[in-house]
Amino acid sequence: MTLGTTLRKSDFLQWVDTLFQGAGLSAALASTVADLYWRATSRDVGHHDISYLPQRLEWLTSGKINSHWDPKLVQQTPSVEIWDVGGALGEASCHFALERSLTLASKTGLGYTAVRHSNHFLAAWPYVEIGAERGFFTLVWSNTDAGMALPGGTTRVLGNNPLGFGFPREEGWIGSDFCLAYSSLGNLNDRRQKNQSIPSHWGHTAQGLPAQTPEELWNGGIDPIGGVKGMSLAILGEMLTGLLAGGDTLDEVKPPAGWNTHNQMVLSWDLSQLGGLSAAQARAQKFYERLHGLGLQRVPGDRSQEAQKKAQKEGVYLSPQFVQQLHEWAKKLNVSLTVGV
Amino acid sequence: MTLGTTLRKSDFLQWVDTLFQGAGLSAALASTVADLYWRATSRDVGHHDISYLPQRLEWLTSGKINSHWDPKLVQQTPSVEIWDVGGALGEASCHFALERSLTLASKTGLGYTAVRHSNHFLAAWPYVEIGAERGFFTLVWSNTDAGMALPGGTTRVLGNNPLGFGFPREEGWIGSDFCLAYSSLGNLNDRRQKNQSIPSHWGHTAQGLPAQTPEELWNGGIDPIGGVKGMSLAILGEMLTGLLAGGDTLDEVKPPAGWNTHNQMVLSWDLSQLGGLSAAQARAQKFYERLHGLGLQRVPGDRSQEAQKKAQKEGVYLSPQFVQQLHEWAKKLNVSLTVGV
């Protein structure tokens, strides 16, 4: 029987890198994506992390998504680029959008890059974290297949269209990522498995009653945050991604996974051109301290960054079942996962 | 006794223009701002409209805000401008940010302009509507004095930081504006006066119980939409406005009115440079029709645009009390309000 494993960062990176290369990704792309998985997993939210890896390997090896990387430039202005990534891995695609956006911002102060024909991007967190580390204020948004209902609805018809943002401060950064439904499907599934309670304003059963359990909500419709307001934000997300990029939007991003029809956008400001990076970081540091002063115990990003520091020292724990699953993938892909080499 | 009046557009514009000039605004600025008040009022939401005019006249004539217009450029890159408007009228300041943003976008595809030391901007709607009419996809955001609580809180400590966006389609545009609390103070006050009910998840009484009436909520704390999510969006709003612009943020924008400490930002994409305006409008038109197809009876912007068309034909109604209030202001400012000249 395979045991649960606490993987140090270097081993974690090597495992994810090896598996993605085994599934057909280039060495450079696999290494980039492994770093994103470390960033997402080490913050310990329990979903939108390495648990998605087997699914990605299946998508790549079955040909549901494209393991080759050959993006085509569709539109270009000094501050804007739109790329068609041809069904490539979402993580590789959104990271590419990030790099292009930072490059544009370095030239004009502000950069927007969108990618179309992309896939699920894991979470916005890793991208905005990289942006913050490089001294940029960064906003990332994705459209998704239907994850929420229209306000008061009983079935999922609209993407919950997650976003994230990050602003560097003197020590770390302030930022967050979340979807525009009261709960993401990943979080709701987590609550389902733990049989946790949910607030009754989160959505409706398939019969239109307020859902009382995660199971009822799963089978019904999750409301957008604030009803019409969250729905409007999801529509803004579609505009910023698919509508602007000429990609797929709304029900064109079909469940279960919206293969090859997701769009992401990255918008970034080069703080070094706006009065200097250290001045902006100092302002953000004071802003951060004032948020605490207003009574906010955890400023967005605090918990995740603490978990990341801990993981950096101690590694991340993978359950026996999950380790076995990865070893089975390694065998299938004819690669080997080792520890401590 | 003064009677209630239905004002045609031309008379409405003349009244607002005249009163603002009487309060010290230049003819050009007063005319621009009158147009914004028409756009906000003719959509018939019952708040964030001409009802704010007497307050603005008081602020201008008492010197609480600056009737002179002398903006100073603080930062500049090819796609970014930050201006200090020195405590000028919020509507004039945000309109200026809009014009600068559109000019930048015309040059580089994408433009961001922020104004600091501004004031309350009325609503995002008029600005994004003008952007859409000119063929731009536009996003407007403002920070504000405290209008909501931290999630689960009992007092207002954080700006509800409203935003708005607009995307042109073949017939009209898709867009919306709203704040990030379950209710704006304007809307809640409206409900208070009409003694309407509110959902119990909107916030808490001063004693920390779920508020059951608009009155209880008014005296307690209104929650951000989706709790921590809406709070994070409000923090994003602070970053996009005050933090980026080096202006005031959070509790520096002090109730009751945050005089001279609001910040606004306008971000706009020039659709003519991104595959052509008519192609973008056609995509938006199909997007609009598909939103209806998903079961959405009113796409964001529909109701307001219908009301605006009606007002264009029939004018807008002002109550006897309000007409009298405006006549009193006219007398004080030594100007005259006439109809049908």
Side-chain angles (χ1 to χ4, degrees):
Chain A
M1 185 197 144
T2 313
L3 297 175
T5 304
T6 295
L7 281 186
R8 296 289 181 146
K9 182 179 177 184
S10 57
D11 293 320
F12 180 100
L13 293 174
Q14 190 260 329
W15 282 30
V16 179
D17 184 329
T18 299
L19 288 166
F20 270 122
Q21 283 199 57
L25 245 53
S26 72
L29 229 49
S31 161
T32 295
V33 173
D35 173 65
L36 300 171
Y37 272 74
W38 172 258
R39 292 173 186 275
T41 307
S42 60
R43 66 176 175 143
D44 195 26
V45 296
H47 49 81
H48 295 86
D49 58 11
I50 194 173
S51 61
Y52 287 21
L53 179 56
Q55 183 195 57
R56 301 298 201 255
L57 299 174
E58 196 275 320
W59 292 355
L60 286 164
T61 54
S62 67
K64 287 192 182 82
I65 72 172
N66 188 356
S67 60
H68 295 291
W69 180 247
D70 185 22
K72 306 264 192 289
L73 185 60
V74 179
Q75 299 293 342
Q76 189 176 34
T77 75
S79 292
V80 174
E81 283 181 6
I82 293 167
W83 292 80
D84 191 323
V85 295
L89 186 71
E91 292 85 347
S93 303
C94 192
H95 184 268
F96 176 75
L98 170 69
E99 290 291 351
R100 293 304 312 156
S101 171
L102 299 185
T103 299
L104 293 171
S106 298
K107 289 177 187 163
T108 67
L110 173 64
Y112 166 91
T113 303
V115 284
R116 70 190 197 196
H117 296 142
S118 177
N119 280 287
H120 192 288
F121 75 145
L122 194 60
W125 177 272
Y127 313 99
V128 293
E129 181 175 48
I130 295 170
E133 284 172 3
R134 301 241 207 115
F136 293 79
F137 169 39
T138 304
L139 175 63
V140 173
W141 215 310
S142 182
N143 68 351
T144 61
D145 57 298
M148 66 185 187
L150 297 178
T154 58
T155 54
R156 298 178 203 150
V157 296
L158 185 62
N160 58 29
N161 296 355
L163 70 148
F165 59 89
F167 202 110
R169 56 184 176 91
E170 283 164 347
E171 305 152 28
W173 53 288
I174 310 167
S176 180
D177 67 338
F178 48 90
C179 78
L180 296 166
Y182 278 111
S183 174
S184 71
L185 295 178
N187 177 52
L188 185 60
N189 202 27
D190 211 35
R191 283 174 179 254
R192 252 171 107 197
Q193 283 165 13
K194 295 173 185 161
N195 209 17
Q196 290 172 330
S197 68
I198 51 161
S200 64
H201 66 270
W202 276 18
H204 293 83
T205 68
Q207 289 74 39
L209 300 169
Q212 305 293 348
T213 67
E215 192 67 28
E216 284 179 350
L217 188 57
W218 183 266
N219 295 316
I222 313 168
D223 253 27
I225 54 170
V228 170
K229 295 186 181 195
M231 181 191 76
S232 295
L233 285 164
I235 289 172
L236 172 60
E238 295 279 3
M239 290 172 169
L240 283 165
T241 59
L243 194 55
L244 209 47
D248 298 292
T249 57
L250 303 170
D251 50 338
E252 291 164 347
V253 188
K254 286 190 179 33
W259 291 303
N260 309 320
T261 51
H262 284 65
N263 302 257
Q264 285 93 29
M265 74 108 219
V266 182
L267 192 57
S268 53
W269 283 256
D270 183 357
L271 296 173
S272 73
Q273 293 180 54
L274 299 173
L277 176 56
S278 55
Q281 285 172 315
R283 279 205 307 278
Q285 188 68 32
K286 277 189 192 157
F287 178 83
Y288 173 83
E289 287 157 13
R290 279 164 49 230
L291 276 168
H292 278 292
L294 289 176
L296 189 58
Q297 294 193 315
R298 277 180 176 165
V299 173
D302 273 0
R303 197 211 55 78
S304 288
Q305 284 171 83
E306 280 161 28
Q308 285 181 315
K309 275 183 202 159
K310 188 162 177 280
Q312 195 86 19
K313 283 188 201 154
E314 301 173 13
V316 298
Y317 175 77
L318 306 182
S319 74
Q321 296 77 8
F322 190 69
V323 171
Q324 186 166 343
Q325 213 183 339
L326 294 186
H327 278 298
E328 281 162 16
W329 267 106
K331 198 172 169 191
K332 198 186 295 187
L333 299 172
N334 204 23
V335 295
S336 63
L337 305 179
T338 53
V339 169
V341 285
Chain B
M1 184 197 144
T2 313
L3 296 174
T5 303
T6 295
L7 281 186
R8 296 290 181 145
K9 181 178 177 183
S10 57
D11 293 320
F12 179 99
L13 292 175
Q14 191 259 330
W15 281 31
V16 179
D17 185 328
T18 299
L19 288 166
F20 270 121
Q21 283 198 57
L25 247 52
S26 72
L29 230 47
S31 159
T32 294
V33 173
D35 173 65
L36 299 172
Y37 272 74
W38 172 258
R39 292 174 185 274
T41 307
S42 60
R43 65 178 177 142
D44 195 27
V45 296
H47 49 82
H48 294 87
D49 57 12
I50 194 173
S51 61
Y52 286 22
L53 179 55
Q55 184 194 58
R56 301 299 200 253
L57 299 174
E58 196 276 319
W59 293 354
L60 286 164
T61 54
S62 67
K64 290 193 180 80
I65 72 173
N66 188 355
S67 61
H68 295 290
W69 179 246
D70 184 23
K72 305 266 192 288
L73 185 60
V74 179
Q75 300 292 341
Q76 188 176 35
T77 75
S79 292
V80 174
E81 282 181 7
I82 293 167
W83 292 79
D84 190 324
V85 294
L89 186 71
E91 292 86 347
S93 303
C94 192
H95 185 267
F96 176 74
L98 170 71
E99 290 291 351
R100 292 305 312 157
S101 171
L102 300 185
T103 299
L104 293 170
S106 298
K107 289 178 186 160
T108 68
L110 172 64
Y112 166 91
T113 303
V115 284
R116 70 190 196 196
H117 297 142
S118 178
N119 281 287
H120 192 289
F121 76 146
L122 193 61
W125 176 272
Y127 313 98
V128 295
E129 181 174 50
I130 295 170
E133 285 172 2
R134 301 241 206 116
F136 293 78
F137 169 38
T138 305
L139 175 63
V140 173
W141 215 311
S142 181
N143 68 351
T144 61
D145 58 298
M148 65 185 187
L150 297 177
T154 58
T155 53
R156 298 178 203 152
V157 296
L158 185 62
N160 58 27
N161 295 356
L163 70 148
F165 58 90
F167 201 109
R169 57 185 176 91
E170 284 165 345
E171 304 152 30
W173 53 288
I174 310 168
S176 181
D177 67 339
F178 47 91
C179 77
L180 295 167
Y182 279 112
S183 175
S184 70
L185 295 179
N187 177 53
L188 184 60
N189 202 28
D190 210 37
R191 284 175 179 254
R192 253 171 107 197
Q193 283 165 12
K194 294 174 185 161
N195 208 18
Q196 290 172 333
S197 68
I198 52 161
S200 64
H201 66 270
W202 275 19
H204 294 84
T205 68
Q207 289 73 38
L209 299 170
Q212 305 293 348
T213 66
E215 193 65 29
E216 285 179 351
L217 188 57
W218 183 267
N219 295 317
I222 313 169
D223 253 27
I225 55 169
V228 170
K229 295 185 183 197
M231 181 193 76
S232 296
L233 286 164
I235 289 171
L236 172 61
E238 295 279 4
M239 290 173 168
L240 283 166
T241 60
L243 194 54
L244 210 46
D248 298 292
T249 58
L250 302 169
D251 49 338
E252 290 164 346
V253 188
K254 287 189 179 31
W259 292 303
N260 310 321
T261 52
H262 284 65
N263 303 258
Q264 286 93 29
M265 72 107 219
V266 182
L267 192 57
S268 53
W269 283 258
D270 182 356
L271 297 172
S272 73
Q273 293 180 54
L274 299 172
L277 176 56
S278 55
Q281 285 172 316
R283 280 204 307 278
Q285 188 68 32
K286 277 188 191 155
F287 178 84
Y288 174 83
E289 286 157 13
R290 279 163 50 230
L291 277 168
H292 278 294
L294 290 176
L296 188 58
Q297 293 192 316
R298 276 181 176 164
V299 172
D302 273 0
R303 197 210 54 77
S304 287
Q305 284 172 82
E306 279 161 31
Q308 285 181 313
K309 275 183 201 159
K310 188 162 176 282
Q312 195 85 21
K313 282 187 201 155
E314 301 173 14
V316 298
Y317 175 78
L318 306 183
S319 73
Q321 295 78 6
F322 190 68
V323 170
Q324 186 167 340
Q325 212 182 338
L326 294 186
H327 278 299
E328 282 162 16
W329 267 105
K331 197 173 168 190
K332 195 184 298 184
L333 299 171
N334 202 24
V335 296
S336 63
L337 305 179
T338 54
V339 169
V341 284

